[in-house]
Amino acid sequence: MAKTALVVGTSGIVGSATAERLVAEGWAVHGLARRPAPQDGVLPIAADLQDAAGLAAALDGVRPEAVFIATWSRQSTEAENIRVNAAMVRNLLDALRAAGSVRHVGLVTGLKHYLGPFEAYGKGVLPQTPFREEQGRLDIENFYYAQEDEVFAAAGRDGFGWSVHRPHTIIGKAVGNAMNMGTTLAVYATLCKATGRPFRFPGSAMQWNGLTDMTDARLLARHLLWAATTPAARNQDFNVVNGDVFRWSWMWERIARWFGLEPAPFDGTVQPLEAQMADDAGLWRKIAAREGLVEADLGRLASPWHTDADLGRPVEVVTDMSKSRRLGFTSYQPTEDAFLELFAQLRRERLIP
């Protein structure tokens, strides 16, 4: 019989990639989201993690061995982020407790573990890069820590193993996702080409000149499955990145060339995408109508605020993967290929012209 998994957040970049990987590996997969999109081989479950009673009813009869949590809900303050997102994890694990089937829970968080939450992002005293798992938590409230604590408490009570996965900025496809740099840059490039605007790097000189890394959603999916099925990875926290490093001064030109653009010279000033794209919703609707695109709502494709947060950081962000390598995870994904393969997929699926 196939192993059974529950992927929470299958409408997102990480959840959809994880479900796809599990199906390919022969797992029986349940995919939970508030509005689950159709996905080959995935049994959809529509539920709201903030509605404990409704969630318990939706999961009645579902008996997963492995649970992968790849979702969160953005709130107006970090205190609300903590309250809401901790409750979501707690409600989920409480709803699954009666079945007694869970053997492993994988939780996806991110590098805000080291950089701080949005309210204090990249500020104060930060760990030295490359970020390493043994550097631990910052002395500041963070909803990632609250999510972890809910998993740890339930694991201690119910006896399952856990893993925590901290990707850098994720490259992958999902419509309606709140943190989506790859599609945001594809939309920005399309708008620049349509209007003749300069294709400007919107971020800081530190990000333009410094080294950085990223995480392909497909690699992260492989890492989640590896941790769930590798005894040495039980009860461990991991950084997860592609395995290469690059400078945006190098990558920006490659993205521009794919779209047939000349990259604008970078003069060292921050020019946020949120401001550059503020009035583009109507223009995108016109482009979508003219080109026969399947999504005319700019807000469901681009998340300029999040891309600005990543590209505007005043600190270097490079991530160490030694812990996973020592335990046997050796997958590698060139970041340039990840971007260009995503752009080709977006074009095939008529999300960009």
Side-chain angles (χ1 to χ4, degrees):
M1 294 179 63
K3 294 182 178 180
T4 301
L6 172 65
V7 180
V8 183
T10 46
S11 61
I13 296 174
V14 176
S16 60
T18 301
E20 181 177 356
R21 169 53 52 183
L22 289 164
V23 169
E25 296 288 340
W27 287 60
V29 180
H30 299 270
L32 189 151
R34 283 181 297 174
R35 292 177 294 276
Q39 190 172 0
D40 290 346
V42 178
L43 301 170
I45 299 173
D48 184 344
L49 293 175
Q50 297 184 53
D51 176 4
L55 179 63
L59 291 173
D60 185 33
V62 178
R63 297 179 56 82
E65 298 169 52
V67 179
F68 302 97
I69 305 173
T71 190
W72 70 291
S73 178
R74 188 186 184 201
Q75 305 298 311
S76 59
T77 66
E78 191 59 21
E80 277 298 288
N81 276 332
I82 291 168
R83 183 186 68 81
V84 170
N85 288 281
M88 287 164 57
V89 174
R90 184 168 61 252
N91 291 343
L92 172 70
L93 299 178
D94 284 350
L96 292 169
R97 180 169 302 119
S101 62
V102 177
R103 299 290 175 264
H104 178 86
V105 172
L107 172 67
V108 179
T109 61
L111 294 194
K112 286 190 290 296
H113 181 93
Y114 308 105
L115 288 162
F118 287 121
E119 290 182 2
Y121 192 60
K123 300 176 182 177
V125 179
L126 301 176
Q128 185 180 38
T129 56
F131 294 139
R132 294 178 171 85
E133 295 91 347
E134 63 265 25
Q135 290 167 328
R137 295 179 174 183
L138 301 176
D139 187 20
I140 188 171
E141 295 296 312
N142 189 323
F143 82 88
Y144 282 168
Y145 306 160
Q147 288 181 308
E148 288 181 346
D149 288 343
E150 293 294 341
V151 171
F152 300 159
R157 182 176 56 243
D158 300 336
F160 58 75
W162 55 265
S163 57
V164 174
H165 304 255
R166 298 176 188 138
H168 197 169
T169 303
I170 296 170
I171 305 171
K173 178 237 168 182
V175 176
N177 191 272
M179 300 191 298
N180 194 337
M181 179 188 285
T183 305
T184 298
L185 293 180
V187 168
Y188 175 57
T190 300
L191 290 164
C192 288
K193 190 168 186 178
T195 61
R197 296 180 202 165
F199 185 61
R200 300 184 185 280
F201 180 73
S204 68
M206 171 63 79
Q207 295 306 307
W208 180 255
N209 295 310
L211 290 172
T212 192
D213 49 28
M214 293 186 72
T215 306
D216 189 300
R218 299 166 298 181
L219 181 135
L220 176 52
R222 293 196 293 272
H223 196 266
L224 283 159
L225 179 55
W226 167 79
T229 55
T230 301
R234 181 183 174 92
N235 297 349
Q236 297 289 333
D237 53 353
F238 297 104
N239 298 329
V240 193
V241 287
N242 287 337
D244 63 349
V245 295
F246 65 93
R247 302 181 200 276
W248 277 106
S249 56
W250 177 87
M251 185 68 75
W252 197 251
E253 180 178 358
R254 279 146 182 81
I255 292 174
R257 300 292 185 220
W258 195 91
F259 287 95
L261 294 166
E262 285 290 331
F266 179 64
D267 64 5
T269 61
V270 177
Q271 301 186 49
L273 288 180
E274 194 163 24
Q276 291 192 52
M277 300 171 67
D279 300 321
D280 284 337
L283 174 58
W284 186 260
R285 284 193 297 272
K286 291 178 182 177
I287 293 172
R290 184 180 69 237
E291 301 289 343
L293 304 183
V294 297
E295 181 55 71
D297 184 350
L298 181 64
R300 285 180 51 76
L301 292 175
S303 51
W305 67 271
H306 184 262
T307 298
D308 287 339
D310 278 357
L311 297 184
R313 290 180 298 216
V315 294
E316 178 187 67
V317 180
V318 182
T319 316
D320 182 73
M321 276 280 287
S322 297
K323 188 175 186 180
S324 293
R325 304 299 188 222
R326 290 188 180 106
L327 295 177
F329 183 81
T330 58
S331 292
Y332 166 79
Q333 170 64 58
T335 300
E336 180 184 6
D337 293 355
F339 270 122
L340 303 189
E341 288 164 10
L342 171 64
F343 300 155
Q345 179 186 8
L346 297 175
R347 183 167 284 172
R348 285 194 308 272
E349 297 183 13
R350 304 303 303 159
L351 287 162
I352 61 172

